[in-house]
Amino acid sequence: MLFSRDIGIDLGTSNTLICDKKGRIIINEPSVVAVDVKSKRVLATGDEAKAMIGRTPGSIVAVRPLKDGVIADFDMTSDMLRSFIYRSSKRNLFTRTRVVISIPSDVTEVERRAVEDAARSAGAQEVELIEEPMAAALGAGLPVFEATGSMVVDIGGGTCDVAVVSLGGIAACKSIKVGGDAFDEAIVNYLKKDFDLLIGTNTAEEIKLKLGSAAPYDGEGAMNVRGRNLSNGLPKSIEITSEQVREILSEPVSRIISAIKETLEVTLPELAADIIDKGIYLTGGSSQLRGLAKLISQETNIEVHIPENPMNCVAAGASIKLRRF
């Protein structure tokens, strides 16, 4: 008799989450792989590999195998998935692995196939794909199989998926390549251009978490940022304020708001009325940017809700799909 191991995977640009059939998160680690350049051997994945970014000797590179929600390096993605799947549960020769894995709503057929193949290469025997906004809506507890419209905005590391779901399908959607990575990149570029200061992505993420916001908030402050002076190559330190960071993030934030408005514009009137009644639901790690829900609500005149664990919604939705697989 074959034992079945069922797992739902949120294969994200920044983080990969794996949950069991009951919806419990068993892996939540960065989508990062550390590789020995000479032997091509994978040395570490997840948290251990992320700690190596920007700190490795020339023979070791720490890379993110996904970009903008899609696979940029097939072999590394397979190796990373294999490591996560192996660590997610005990297995034996008689275990059959079934996987539901999330994908952005606008991926091409080639990109869908790449995700499927990577999961199979990592040891999964059965693979089912689910679009991220549908998984997010399921994980957020929205009534996606009823004849009522629900709007979900899933903001991850590489993409922002906006969708209106009803009767188990997506009635209107838009996907843009804006997320946590775009926020970090905007901070890196600003400091490079205005202060001649070069910082790494980990430092940019730290600035975003400590000071980042989409609207003014109580307890605003400042922090010292250290990096390399681009003029002379020496270490340099500057102070940056929360107001400056908000200005930096205003461009990617406005693109997210535009995507929400564009999706609402093409939504059927009956579904739009449902959304006005129930509100917009924000999911994904980057939905937790301070003041983002408040700003979206002001711009759309619709109430905005954030579920209890917005980062876990897609993985939880994948596990709900597992039960129907």
Side-chain angles (χ1 to χ4, degrees):
M1 177 186 168
L2 278 176
F3 293 98
S4 177
R5 176 178 52 165
D6 301 340
I7 52 175
I9 303 177
D10 173 10
L11 185 61
T13 307
S14 298
N15 285 70
T16 294
L17 284 82
I18 295 182
C19 63
D20 61 17
K21 204 170 183 177
K22 293 179 181 175
R24 294 175 300 207
I25 301 293
I26 42 183
I27 294 274
N28 179 1
E29 295 198 21
S31 302
V32 180
V33 180
V35 183
D36 187 309
V37 178
K38 293 169 186 170
S39 65
K40 304 290 183 193
R41 190 166 60 90
V42 172
L43 303 174
T45 57
D47 288 324
E48 195 183 340
K50 187 177 181 181
M52 297 180 180
I53 289 180
R55 295 186 172 92
T56 56
S59 60
I60 300 170
V61 289
V63 293
R64 290 166 61 173
L66 289 110
K67 184 167 173 58
D68 299 332
V70 296
I71 292 173
D73 188 306
F74 179 84
D75 291 334
M76 284 192 195
T77 303
S78 297
D79 288 337
M80 182 182 75
L81 273 176
R82 187 178 296 110
S83 169
F84 287 156
I85 290 172
Y86 180 79
R87 285 155 52 195
S88 67
S89 65
K90 295 170 187 165
R91 67 180 298 179
N92 58 49
L93 292 171
F94 306 105
T95 303
R96 184 173 183 80
T97 304
R98 300 192 318 153
V99 167
V100 170
I101 191 163
S102 67
I103 52 169
S105 57
D106 70 336
V107 296
T108 64
E109 197 54 47
V110 172
E111 289 163 346
R112 288 176 74 97
R113 177 67 62 189
V115 173
E116 220 171 296
D117 290 347
R120 290 188 194 282
S121 174
Q125 281 83 28
E126 291 181 51
V127 182
E128 176 89 2
L129 302 181
I130 182 171
E131 291 179 325
E132 275 168 16
M134 178 59 76
L138 278 168
L142 299 179
V144 299
F145 297 107
E146 295 176 17
T148 178
S150 302
M151 183 175 233
V152 65
V153 181
D154 182 54
I155 313 168
T159 59
C160 169
D161 284 287
V162 185
V164 177
V165 295
S166 176
L167 288 169
I170 293 177
C173 72
K174 186 171 181 68
S175 182
I176 56 171
K177 295 185 186 337
V178 175
D181 286 356
F183 296 160
D184 296 344
E185 199 178 314
I187 292 168
V188 170
N189 291 339
Y190 171 80
L191 292 179
K192 196 187 290 183
K193 183 169 169 280
D194 285 46
F195 291 95
D196 225 20
L197 181 73
L198 184 66
I199 62 166
T201 52
N202 285 357
T203 304
E205 188 178 16
E206 189 187 342
I207 294 167
K208 175 183 69 181
L209 294 174
K210 282 190 177 176
L211 301 178
S213 68
Y217 64 96
D218 292 336
E220 294 198 11
M223 68 179 278
N224 280 319
V225 180
R226 296 179 184 87
R228 194 176 84 228
N229 190 323
L230 285 167
S231 300
N232 57 25
L234 297 174
K236 179 181 177 180
S237 176
I238 62 143
E239 185 178 81
I240 189 167
T241 66
S242 45
E243 194 178 343
Q244 284 173 298
V245 178
R246 184 162 55 251
E247 183 61 36
I248 295 164
L249 300 181
S250 63
E251 194 273 331
V253 164
S254 66
R255 287 178 62 194
I256 290 170
I257 292 169
S258 295
I260 294 169
K261 288 180 177 177
E262 285 168 30
T263 307
L264 286 168
E265 283 168 14
V266 296
T267 300
L268 293 170
E270 289 81 3
L271 297 178
D274 294 335
I275 293 163
I276 291 167
D277 287 342
K278 288 191 297 195
I280 296 168
Y281 285 77
L282 296 189
T283 64
S286 300
S287 68
Q288 297 171 91
L289 180 71
R290 291 181 196 85
L292 183 59
K294 179 183 172 186
L295 185 62
I296 291 170
S297 183
Q298 286 173 355
E299 292 285 333
T300 59
N301 292 319
I302 300 172
E303 198 174 347
V304 175
H305 311 280
I306 301 180
E308 193 178 342
N309 295 306
M311 192 173 174
N312 299 355
C313 285
V314 173
S319 83
I320 292 168
K321 174 81 172 178
L322 266 172
R323 294 168 220 159
R324 309 172 69 97
F325 189 175

